[in-house]
Amino acid sequence: MTNEFPQALTIAGSDSGGGAGMQADLKTIQMRHVFATTVVVAVTAQNTLGVQDALALPTEMIDAQFASLADDFKIRAAKTGMLADVPTVQAVVRNLKQYDFGPLTVDPVMIAKGGTKLLADEAITTVKEELLPLATLVTPNLPEAEALTGLKAERPADMVKIGQALQKLGPKNVLVKGGHLGGDQAASDFVLMEDGTSFWMTSPRIDTVRTHGTGDTISACITAELAKGVGLEQAIRTAKGYVEATIRDTIQVGHGHGPLNHWAL
């Protein structure tokens, strides 16, 4: 049947080092047997040691990419990643309101592994007020969740409060990633669903610096599963297991925060 193969969209910045950003999204979606399309909103010069430079694309080019995709593809799920600045966020919001690309997963990328800001401070409010209300799911790590809610996470119970606060900002479902919380043995994520139910996902901590692109990868895996028609809870659980495997079955690339092994099963 014409145009019926599962198709997904990533709206993000390019990582020249290949470990995070749009490149991580593409690798992940491909590994989940879904066809990946892209809207590039920014380009970066980066490697495993850090981000050396970044440039947001003109909003006219962002608009053109959205229109081109909508004219030809049958996109069943979409995600956002790095969105750079206020004009970029506003352009993405405008286009997501215009075109139906299925359930939206928002990965509110703010800071790279090396500490470089990937979202301007003034754009955080735009994400909160304009993008999050469009989200089927939001997937922040703890620093991102704290920036969005103004709450601090010092123990697991705080993650529950943060999840509830995030849901009040508009996204139907929330995945709060707890990797930044202390603890040597395990890392736990909290999921709050639209119907008020919740659950925790826990995985053993792996002693490695090769974790570049984990946030991109888990949100991209969820998006790919949704594009296949998988239910949201199962998509989240599948993505958690996939990311754990990509960290555990490491590959040796670069000299800094190395990439995940997207070939892992």
Side-chain angles (χ1 to χ4, degrees):
M1 296 172 59
T2 302
N3 216 23
E4 290 302 312
F5 192 86
Q7 300 159 47
L9 167 63
T10 170
I11 306 157
S14 169
D15 172 3
S16 59
M22 182 160 289
Q23 282 78 352
D25 293 342
L26 290 170
K27 293 171 185 178
T28 302
I29 294 169
Q30 182 82 4
M31 284 298 297
R32 303 311 302 175
H33 303 283
V34 172
F35 184 80
T37 62
T38 64
V39 168
V40 184
V41 302
V43 293
T44 67
Q46 66 174 292
N47 51 34
T48 65
L49 300 175
V51 179
Q52 290 78 48
D53 205 353
L55 176 69
L57 267 64
T59 57
E60 293 83 1
M61 177 55 71
I62 295 172
D63 293 340
Q65 291 177 82
F66 271 102
S68 182
L69 295 180
D71 191 48
D72 187 31
F73 296 95
K74 187 176 181 180
I75 295 167
R76 300 181 182 179
K79 65 150 291 188
T80 63
M82 172 191 176
L83 295 180
D85 55 24
V86 172
T88 301
V89 177
Q90 291 177 332
V92 168
V93 167
R94 181 174 65 250
N95 281 280
L96 287 172
K97 288 180 176 179
Q98 182 173 353
Y99 304 112
D100 181 7
F101 289 144
L104 175 68
T105 297
V106 172
D107 179 17
V109 176
M110 294 183 185
I111 300 175
K113 274 286 187 294
T116 301
K117 285 187 177 182
L118 299 178
L119 182 70
D121 289 341
E122 59 270 21
I124 295 175
T125 299
T126 312
V127 168
K128 287 172 57 175
E129 296 179 353
E130 300 185 30
L131 182 60
L132 290 190
L134 304 181
T136 303
L137 173 70
V138 64
T139 63
N141 59 31
L142 283 181
E144 293 161 351
E146 290 172 348
L148 289 168
T149 64
L151 301 175
K152 289 293 183 182
E154 297 178 348
R155 52 191 177 274
D158 297 331
M159 293 173 61
V160 176
K161 296 177 182 178
I162 285 176
Q164 294 167 339
L166 281 167
Q167 197 173 56
K168 290 179 180 178
L169 294 176
K172 296 180 177 67
N173 306 274
V174 178
L175 163 57
V176 182
K177 298 173 293 189
H180 288 79
L181 204 62
D184 296 331
Q185 301 301 316
S188 295
D189 304 329
F190 175 69
V191 181
L192 178 60
M193 303 295 286
E194 182 178 9
D195 62 5
T197 61
S198 62
F199 59 93
W200 290 86
M201 300 185 297
T202 301
S203 59
R205 287 191 182 273
I206 300 169
D207 185 17
T208 179
V209 297
R210 303 188 180 281
T211 57
H212 186 48
T214 51
D216 307 281
T217 297
I218 195 168
S219 57
C221 187
I222 292 168
T223 303
E225 295 301 303
L226 293 176
K228 293 188 285 189
V230 174
L232 180 59
E233 180 175 342
Q234 184 56 54
I236 293 171
R237 293 186 183 276
T238 296
K240 175 70 172 179
Y242 177 66
V243 169
E244 182 180 345
T246 65
I247 298 172
R248 182 183 62 245
D249 300 332
T250 186
I251 54 175
Q252 304 299 311
V253 175
H255 297 85
H257 290 284
L260 307 179
N261 175 15
H262 288 95
W263 289 290
L265 298 175

